[in-house]
Amino acid sequence: MPRLGYWMTALVSAALVAGCGGAGEDETLNVYSARKEALIKPLLDRFEEESGTKVKLLTADAGALLSRLENEGRNTPADVLITVDAGNLHRAREAGVLAATDSAALESAIPAHLRDEQGHWFGLSQRARVIFTHEERVEEGAITSYEDLADPEWEGRVCIRSSDNIYNQSLMASMIAEHGKEEAREWAEGLVDNMARDPQGGDRDQIHAVASGECDIAVANTYYYGAMQNGDEDDREAADAVRLVWPNQEDRGAHVNVSGGGVVAASRNRDGARELLEFLTTDESQEWYAQANNEFPVKEGIPAADTLAKWGDFSADDLPLTRLGELNAEAVRLMDRAGWR
């Protein structure tokens, strides 16, 4: 029995040492990412080079990654989860797969409304979900707000993705936060009445539909528009045919969201995971990350990429993004009641 006790003590001690390792040690960090490999791996390679920590990357759809983390439970090899939209980040927190992380560096770099207040997740880059109108068929200034999308004047002229899309669910959640449930439902009903077609396709498809004349107004994330401006000839022509509208500049500002990350609760290297997140908010990382993704930095003082800078300055809604996750279920219910499919 004394011998068995000795080995049990040794095993527990070894496990504790392994779980407390830092990024400077000869260890491996496993990153689960809903961002495409090309949009994150160069930064992970740089972190690996600077820290000496090997980084393994697994990419998949946001929902698939959350399911995988839940199924793997305490046996997951993952240390860091990177995903898109505050709604997905909130779901990960509610599922218990993210650990609360205390980091002065992250709190200093990231504005409070762009991160979880308990440190379960942190925004790493920003995008705005805005309105695009046809350069010729919609007069400049005719639409200035999200609320305008429900105006009967635009019946049969709006293209937007389905209610299954997390980006639209978060937009709807922001409308609930601003106007309350009933007014937000009425807005959704008006938007549905104004749809030019049944929701289909992704954000790029909405902009292409405006360019081709299928509709005159679209809702899409800014980084898709930036990618199209720098894309193939077909994408560039479609982007040139539309006008970007920054909504609600006279009141709350344009709806913004984030891609972000958090330390996995079952990580065996939480220190290393935290250090990777901190690395992703350094000035150099923020500048590269924003450039590569056609997104806006979360850290103040970092310039936007040239493509985005040409769009001009805008006022952004400073609604705490945790509210988007908290209101997600209600947003989905109201979208369903409004007939938004």
Side-chain angles (χ1 to χ4, degrees), residues 81-335:
L81 172 67
I82 295 175
T83 192
V84 293
D85 199 279
N88 285 327
L89 290 161
H90 181 79
R91 289 174 184 175
R93 173 185 169 165
E94 290 297 290
V97 302
L98 296 179
T101 301
D102 185 18
S103 168
L106 290 171
E107 292 177 6
S108 174
I110 305 169
H113 69 288
L114 301 179
R115 52 183 165 86
D116 177 63
E117 58 186 10
Q118 271 82 45
H120 287 85
W121 57 262
F122 302 87
L124 298 173
S125 61
Q126 291 187 85
R127 76 287 296 274
R129 191 153 189 78
V130 298
I131 300 169
F132 295 90
T133 60
H134 193 273
E135 281 278 11
E136 298 176 356
R137 298 193 300 270
V138 178
E139 183 179 352
E140 186 171 5
I143 291 180
T144 62
S145 69
Y146 298 105
E147 288 77 5
D148 288 343
L149 294 172
D151 192 310
E153 177 183 356
W154 309 114
E155 183 178 358
R157 300 175 71 180
V158 179
C159 283
I160 192 168
R161 290 172 75 162
S162 75
S163 60
D164 289 339
N165 177 249
I166 188 67
Y167 307 147
N168 283 339
Q169 292 171 10
S170 288
L171 175 61
M172 184 65 183
S174 75
M175 297 297 287
I176 297 171
E178 178 67 19
H179 296 294
K181 297 177 184 178
E182 285 308 306
E183 193 170 336
R185 178 185 56 78
E186 292 173 2
W187 172 81
E189 290 174 348
L191 175 60
V192 170
D193 289 341
N194 288 345
M195 290 182 184
R197 62 181 186 183
D198 291 337
Q200 56 190 267
D203 278 12
R204 293 177 191 244
D205 297 309
Q206 315 311 314
I207 294 174
H208 274 286
V210 172
S212 68
E214 192 169 359
C215 48
D216 297 329
I217 303 158
V219 176
N221 282 350
T222 47
Y223 66 90
Y224 289 110
Y225 180 58
M228 291 175 69
Q229 288 184 318
N230 296 309
D232 61 27
E233 183 177 357
D234 190 39
D235 273 353
R236 292 197 304 272
E237 288 180 356
D240 288 343
V242 302
R243 175 191 303 112
L244 186 157
V245 176
W246 296 115
N248 297 84
Q249 295 303 282
E250 299 301 319
D251 43 80
R252 66 184 181 279
H255 169 67
V256 297
N257 212 310
V258 292
S259 66
V263 175
V264 173
S267 168
R268 295 168 180 80
N269 188 359
R270 289 194 185 184
D271 286 347
R274 172 184 50 76
E275 288 170 21
L276 173 57
L277 292 176
E278 291 173 347
F279 173 81
L280 293 175
T281 60
T282 61
D283 289 1
E284 183 181 11
S285 294
Q286 279 285 290
E287 187 170 354
W288 185 93
Y289 197 52
Q291 291 265 358
N293 291 292
N294 290 293
E295 292 182 293
F296 297 95
V298 293
K299 191 173 185 178
E300 294 182 2
I302 306 299
D306 291 343
T307 297
L308 282 63
K310 293 176 183 176
W311 304 340
D313 295 330
F314 71 99
S315 296
D317 191 351
D318 61 0
L319 175 73
L321 296 191
T322 53
R323 292 291 291 148
L324 305 182
E326 292 165 355
L327 292 170
N328 179 267
E330 186 64 40
V332 172
R333 281 194 291 270
L334 294 183
M335 294 167 90

Side-chain angles (χ1 to χ4, degrees), residues 18-19 27-33 53-59 64-82 97-98 262-273 276:
E27 296 182 349
T28 297
L29 278 176
N30 291 285
V31 177
Y32 284 7
S33 174
T53 299
K54 183 174 178 59
V55 181
K56 291 184 178 180
L57 175 65
L58 172 71
T59 61
L65 288 177
L66 178 55
S67 295
R68 180 169 181 146
L69 284 168
E70 290 179 300
N71 291 333
E72 291 173 341
R74 295 175 60 184
N75 296 319
T76 183
D79 299 295
V80 175
L81 172 67
I82 295 175
V97 302
L98 296 179
V263 175
V264 173
S267 168
R268 295 168 180 80
N269 188 359
R270 289 194 185 184
D271 286 347
L276 173 57

